[in-house]
Amino acid sequence: MSHRRTTDSVPLSVTDRCSLFIGHCSLIIVHWSLVILTCLVALALRLHRLAEPLMRWDEGWSVAHASRSWLEVIRIASWEVHPPLFYLLFKPWLTLGRNVFLVRFFPVAVGVLAVPLVFQVAMRWLGRRRLAWLAAGLAAIAPAFVYYAQVVRMYPLVVLWLLLATWALLRWLSGGGRWALIGLVAAGLAGLYTFYYAAWALLGLYAYGLIAARRSRKGLLAAGAVTLGLYLPWLAYAGMGMLQRVTQAASVETIMPVTPWGLLVSTWTALTFDFGSGGWAALMVLAVLIAAPLVRRPDRKESVRLLMPGLTLLTTTGGIVLASGAYFFAPRLLTPAVPFLVLLLAWALDWLGRLGKSALVASLIGLLVLFWPTSSRFVYDKSLEVSGSFDPHEYHALLSERARPGDFVFFNELALAGWYDMDR
């Protein structure tokens, strides 16, 4: 009988082990260096001119709302257009100071956290490192993300919760246990308690989970039921205020008639945040998304995985547009859909890159050039927010000679109270 030795049974030498260890450490160092570098780029873009624009109307509302007592924050939110979680998390931050830079640094910090999280979601989604870096890079420089990271509102926070929910769902689909489902419930609840329209993104994520699941779907359905059960108390508490807002919104008449094509164009413009190129940047994004699968058709496995951002983008955008209606449509409402557009665009760029690096580089250069007018001017001017010709300090100047330090001043708008409180 002959015996044959296999290489698997040969122990590694000390030199080989050291080489493998050094190589592994080098990969970790390079990986985290790139993560830190991407986050620093994101931070620099979000800090640029941070304190320069005046506080906008909604930002004054955020400051005033979060300045109330804990119970009042919740009570006011039950009659407001947004749930209370953002204000509850923002309230302790205000104890650090009231200057514009410090106040706006809260959404900046939240927005920067989304960048490494996008990388992790992309890796969990398809496992391709170049695609993950493209997604992280796009998240760092995306005009919509940079814009709303400088606005003291809940939009960067809801993006963070939805990314966490997406990661938890993908973790469960890849064999994660109950902790993945617990994370999905926690992140989903946080999203719902931050922004009502987060429900449409969660609907898309759960729909994808039910389609892609290779095992029992009972766990996912149970997670959805638990999320809904823990959200029902808030719906019961805030239901009267929500009904009143819906009734008021339904009675508002449109000033300009909106055609289906016009609504479609305005929706895509808001999603891509193209407000400076005359529509060319938005068209470039669409061209990249269409060209990628035409150049090389994805296989069945790849196509199923593309349903995650594709289906979620569709349910989020469609649900928000239909729910808000033509009478009130603002780009900020579509913020929950933007991370899924980023993932799709990163996939398309990576897919085109398989033809050669020239296709990838050309697409990236085209996007950067066309988005430059929006990124360099519009993003930092904050012209989408309600501003007008006003001086937010006029309320303090008007009352400073009439009110003493211990007086309590009532305003008929929280935004006015917020501006006054900034000077207090």
Side-chain angles (χ1 to χ4, degrees):
M1 180 181 295
S2 62
H3 296 277
R4 183 174 58 185
R5 295 182 63 186
T6 62
T7 56
D8 294 338
S9 62
V10 178
L12 294 175
S13 65
V14 175
T15 303
D16 292 336
R17 291 180 180 178
C18 290
S19 299
L20 288 173
F21 178 75
I22 293 173
H24 181 67
C25 290
S26 299
L27 288 175
I28 293 176
I29 292 173
V30 171
H31 169 76
W32 284 107
S33 297
L34 289 174
V35 170
I36 294 172
L37 179 61
T38 307
C39 289
L40 288 176
V41 170
L43 180 63
L45 292 174
R46 286 151 179 78
L47 290 180
H48 180 59
R49 296 176 57 186
L50 181 62
E52 180 179 319
L54 296 174
M55 294 285 288
R56 272 20 185 198
W57 184 270
D58 286 353
E59 292 181 297
W61 183 283
S62 296
V63 172
H65 192 164
S67 298
R68 308 307 299 149
S69 68
W70 295 99
L71 291 178
E72 285 179 322
V73 167
I74 296 174
R75 181 175 61 84
I76 293 172
S78 69
W79 290 92
E80 214 246 302
V81 295
H82 297 296
L85 185 56
F86 166 76
Y87 303 109
L88 293 173
L89 295 177
F90 183 50
K91 180 177 175 60
W93 182 268
L94 287 177
T95 61
L96 300 177
R98 300 285 176 136
N99 68 78
V100 176
F101 184 91
L102 186 58
V103 168
R104 282 183 173 151
F105 194 81
F106 179 78
V108 167
V110 174
V112 171
L113 288 176
V115 174
L117 189 53
V118 165
F119 179 89
Q120 294 298 327
V121 168
M123 285 297 295
R124 179 64 63 182
W125 174 38
L126 287 173
R128 297 203 288 268
R129 193 166 293 275
R130 184 174 67 178
L131 185 153
W133 282 121
L134 285 169
L138 290 173
I141 66 174
F145 283 165
V146 176
Y147 185 104
Y148 287 112
Q150 293 190 326
V151 177
V152 189
R153 296 298 281 166
M154 64 289 302
Y155 309 114
L157 188 61
V158 72
V159 167
L160 193 69
W161 299 137
L162 289 176
L163 285 171
L164 286 170
T166 304
W167 185 92
L169 174 66
L170 295 174
R171 178 69 182 88
W172 181 77
L173 289 173
S174 63
R178 67 179 65 179
W179 285 108
L181 290 179
I182 291 173
L184 177 60
V185 170
L189 271 176
L192 290 172
Y193 276 100
T194 300
F195 195 63
Y196 286 117
Y197 288 153
W200 296 109
L202 292 174
L203 178 64
L205 289 174
Y206 273 88
Y208 169 73
L210 293 175
I211 293 172
R214 297 181 179 178
R215 48 184 173 155
S216 174
R217 296 174 174 86
K218 293 181 180 179
L220 187 60
L221 292 172
V226 171
T227 302
L228 180 60
L230 294 176
Y231 193 54
L232 283 177
W234 173 255
L235 294 181
Y237 177 67
M240 185 64 68
M242 294 174 64
L243 182 62
Q244 181 177 349
R245 291 193 299 274
V246 171
T247 303
Q248 291 173 345
S251 64
V252 177
E253 297 181 358
T254 56
I255 300 175
M256 294 290 291
V258 179
T259 64
W261 173 252
L263 188 59
L264 183 63
V265 171
S266 62
T267 300
W268 188 246
T269 300
L271 274 174
T272 57
F273 218 74
D274 177 19
F275 297 101
S277 74
W280 290 107
L283 188 61
M284 178 70 179
V285 173
L286 185 62
V288 171
L289 293 175
I290 293 176
L294 291 179
V295 168
R296 181 181 178 185
R297 185 176 179 180
D299 58 24
R300 185 178 181 279
K301 182 178 179 181
E302 188 92 0
S303 299
V304 171
R305 293 191 175 185
L306 283 173
L307 283 175
M308 189 279 289
L311 184 60
T312 308
L313 179 63
L314 182 63
T315 60
T316 308
T317 305
I320 291 174
V321 171
L322 292 176
S324 61
Y327 56 84
F328 180 73
F329 180 74
R332 59 182 178 271
L333 299 181
L334 290 176
T335 309
V338 175
F340 303 101
L341 177 61
V342 166
L343 289 172
L344 272 179
L345 184 57
W347 173 85
L349 290 168
D350 177 65
W351 201 252
L352 288 174
R354 296 189 172 197
L355 296 176
K357 292 184 178 180
S358 58
L360 174 59
V361 172
S363 299
L364 287 173
I365 291 176
L367 289 170
L368 290 173
V369 169
L370 290 175
F371 271 108
W372 179 252
T374 293
S375 302
S376 60
R377 295 194 302 269
F378 179 84
V379 166
Y380 296 109
D381 290 340
K382 299 293 180 290
S383 55
L384 265 182
E385 306 303 312
V386 179
S387 57
S389 56
F390 75 98
D391 179 4
H393 307 294
E394 66 178 323
Y395 305 99
H396 180 271
L398 179 66
L399 294 171
S400 60
E401 298 180 356
R402 297 174 174 83
R404 294 171 298 181
D407 288 345
F408 192 88
V409 181
F410 289 88
F411 293 90
N412 64 351
E413 289 284 354
L414 276 178
L416 309 183
W419 290 330
Y420 181 77
D421 193 68
M422 291 290 292
D423 291 321
R424 189 173 53 152

